[in-house]
Amino acid sequence: MEIHHQHYVISDDKSRIDKELVLGFLSRSYWANKRPHERTVKAIETSYCLGVYDGDRQVGFARVVSDYATIYYICDVFVQEEHRGRGIGKRLVETIVSADMFQGMTGLLGTFDAHGLYEQYGFVREPDRYLKRLPQARP
């Protein structure tokens, strides 16, 4: 799948993903900066992923975890700083929520700073409903 947005291309072709770029960005993020690189590589391999490209250079990324029947979880979404403000993040979210494979399913995500973006696409804050369990170290 390829979608054009301005001069950018959004693609779900995993062979195009620049894993070093994704690992570098996520290692500086508030949500994945403590995640081991091997886990992120495994997550890319086992998730539905979208890359955003300016020519051959990757400038954005989103990952979706799903059972493809009832639920999908959007995560690891980013657009490199110098490409922000061009609607790329909006187009990424729109691409995910409008994809046939996710229709009729519950969508989830977590964010500290992008509520407004996701609310534009029907996501609703539910602070009293969801729980999380952080990774546990083995004894």
Side-chain angles (χ1 to χ4, degrees):
M1 178 275 304
E2 279 195 3
I3 293 173
H4 295 268
H5 173 75
Q6 300 170 11
H7 67 279
Y8 298 98
V9 173
I10 298 171
S11 172
D12 65 355
D13 180 354
K14 283 190 189 178
S15 70
R16 292 186 70 180
I17 294 173
D18 181 342
K19 289 179 184 162
E20 292 305 314
L21 177 124
V22 173
L23 291 169
F25 189 96
L26 293 178
S27 70
R28 298 183 309 274
S29 72
Y30 67 80
W31 67 88
N33 62 357
K34 292 181 174 51
R35 185 189 307 157
H37 286 231
E38 312 81 58
R39 297 235 177 189
T40 297
V41 170
K42 175 81 171 181
I44 291 169
E45 291 169 358
T46 60
S47 301
Y48 178 72
C49 299
L50 295 170
V52 181
Y53 304 92
D54 181 4
D56 290 334
R57 189 170 152 240
Q58 186 171 353
V59 300
F61 180 78
R63 189 168 66 83
V64 183
V65 179
S66 181
D67 64 5
Y68 296 99
T70 62
I71 197 163
Y72 65 91
Y73 178 74
I74 300 173
C75 48
D76 293 342
V77 178
F78 72 84
V79 174
Q80 289 189 315
E81 292 83 357
E82 62 270 22
H83 294 273
R84 292 181 186 167
R86 300 175 188 172
I88 298 168
K90 288 181 180 181
R91 191 66 174 114
L92 264 174
V93 175
E94 180 183 316
T95 299
I96 294 166
V97 301
S98 66
D100 287 342
M101 70 181 93
F102 301 126
Q103 294 309 299
M105 297 168 55
T106 299
L108 298 173
L109 59 89
T111 185
F112 283 130
D113 59 358
H115 297 89
L117 167 64
Y118 296 107
E119 288 169 341
Q120 293 176 49
Y121 297 94
F123 287 88
V124 177
R125 298 180 201 205
E126 293 200 22
D128 297 328
R129 182 169 179 187
Y130 296 101
L131 298 120
K132 70 177 178 181
R133 181 175 186 263
L134 297 174
Q136 305 292 306
R138 291 187 176 190

